[in-house]
Amino acid sequence: MKKVKIAKREVFPIGLGTWNMGDDKKKYTQELEALRVGLEAGIQVIDTAEMYGDGDSESLVGHAIEPFERENLFLVSKVLPSNASKKQLPISLDNSLKRLKTDYLDLYLLHWKGGIPIEETIEAMEKAKMQGKIKSWGVSNFDVNDMTKLLKLPNGQQCATNQVRYNLGDRGIDFDLVPMMKENSIPLMAYAPVARGDRLGADLTKQKVLLDISKKYHADVFQILLAWCIRNGQTIAIPQSSNTKHVMNNVKAANIHLTEGDLAKIDSIYPEPSVSEPLALW
Ligand SMILES: NC(=O)c1ccc[n+]([C@@H]2O[C@H](COP(=O)([O-])OP(=O)(O)OC[C@H]3O[C@@H](n4cnc5c(N)ncnc54)[C@H](OP(=O)(O)O)[C@@H]3O)[C@@H](O)[C@H]2O)c1
């Protein structure tokens, strides 16, 4: 298993997503356990956002990380586009830090592009960095044109990642965004990497090719989806799960190294895109 370089750190290539976690009291204990099982097994990246459960997801994460060494973790949160101004971003950030019970984030992302000029958001992010409240910043849901423009702006090259939807059923970004980010040594954070437990309509778990490859590695299709996602060594996949068994399966997927032959078989049913495609969202 190769770690992924991000923001001057090297981290385990599978992280923990937390969308839809923390806001249902009946599921709280199970969700807390799922996150802790992942962290105990070596996961470092935890992805959350002020938007998730209106802060409840960040509060759950703050609780989950209590027994762990802060320096080993890589905490990611996101500011809403409407809060990404010079005035509001510091307030959002302080609230996130309070809920997470920490004094810094490893990475703070602009959740998606909004009405506030990106130059202003960069300035606010850089200020937060100087104050030690964030170690690095990045963006989410930026397409190749957005990224190209961003990198040309003052301090735009400080962008540490772009978090976008990426899975076998949604690999449009392989045409342009992935190569562009690789060229600029910017790692990708892949959301919905297991296609929401195959609920995005792609029927990935029924594909014979994927089932055959799974058998070869004594794995299941979701683990193959994750192994595929992180195959280039520059991607961190952040599957969400409230099930400890699934979390452990996801951790183990980091040790599955698909061969050129496996990848060719996968390409034959899920071909690399040959034209530019709009970014898949949510
Ligand atoms: N930046 C953005 O705009 C954005 C958008 C969407 C998501 N995200 C982030 O990315 C994370 C992941 O994306 P997502 O939650 O949309 O989709 P996802 O991780 O692809 O799918 C989550 C679903 O997959 C199931 N699952 C996970 N691992 C599994 C396994 N090994 N076997 C079987 N089922 C499994 C989970 O159910 P169980 O609980 O039963 O395991 C859950 O229902 C989010 O939680 C969030 O942190 C970011």
Side-chain angles (χ1 to χ4, degrees), residues 224-250:
I224 300 305
L225 294 185
L226 288 175
W228 177 87
C229 215
I230 61 170
R231 70 198 180 288
N232 74 355
Q234 288 211 4
T235 301
I236 299 162
I238 47 167
Q240 179 274 329
S241 177
S242 308
N243 176 316
T244 51
K245 189 171 166 269
H246 291 170
V247 172
M248 284 312 295
N249 285 349
N250 295 346

Side-chain angles (χ1 to χ4, degrees), residues 30-163:
Q30 186 192 341
E31 291 172 347
L32 187 72
E33 197 194 346
L35 294 179
R36 286 186 173 167
V37 158
L39 297 175
E40 270 155 27
I43 286 182
Q44 293 168 285
V45 174
I46 314 177
D47 178 74
T48 184
E50 64 173 349
M51 186 186 89
Y52 299 166
D54 254 339
D56 284 347
S57 155
E58 290 180 324
S59 300
L60 170 73
V61 172
H63 188 181
I65 62 175
E66 274 170 11
F68 297 90
E69 293 281 341
R70 176 66 186 88
E71 310 81 74
N72 286 340
L73 305 175
F74 192 92
L75 279 190
V76 186
S77 194
K78 310 185 201 81
V79 61
L80 281 166
S82 52
N83 290 337
S85 61
K86 274 197 282 189
K87 186 158 177 259
Q88 192 56 38
L89 183 142
I91 299 169
S92 276
L93 175 56
D94 282 346
N95 288 335
S96 289
L97 293 175
K98 246 180 248 156
R99 288 188 288 262
L100 287 159
K101 293 193 223 136
T102 185
D103 48 14
Y104 70 93
L105 292 178
D106 294 282
L107 179 62
Y108 199 31
L109 304 179
L110 171 63
H111 209 147
W112 63 89
K113 206 175 52 167
I116 291 160
I118 184 73
E119 292 86 341
E120 180 173 338
T121 304
I122 295 177
E123 231 181 289
M125 291 285 195
E126 285 294 321
K127 189 166 175 201
K129 224 162 86 178
M130 288 206 309
Q131 293 170 331
K133 292 185 179 184
I134 63 173
K135 298 271 185 205
S136 64
W137 62 266
V139 294
S140 176
N141 298 303
F142 270 40
D143 66 18
V144 72
N145 294 325
D146 299 328
M147 281 306 285
T148 306
K149 281 186 207 153
L150 174 72
L151 293 182
K152 287 184 186 146
L153 294 174
N155 280 323
Q157 301 232 352
Q158 297 298 316
C159 175
T161 193
N162 180 17
Q163 185 181 112

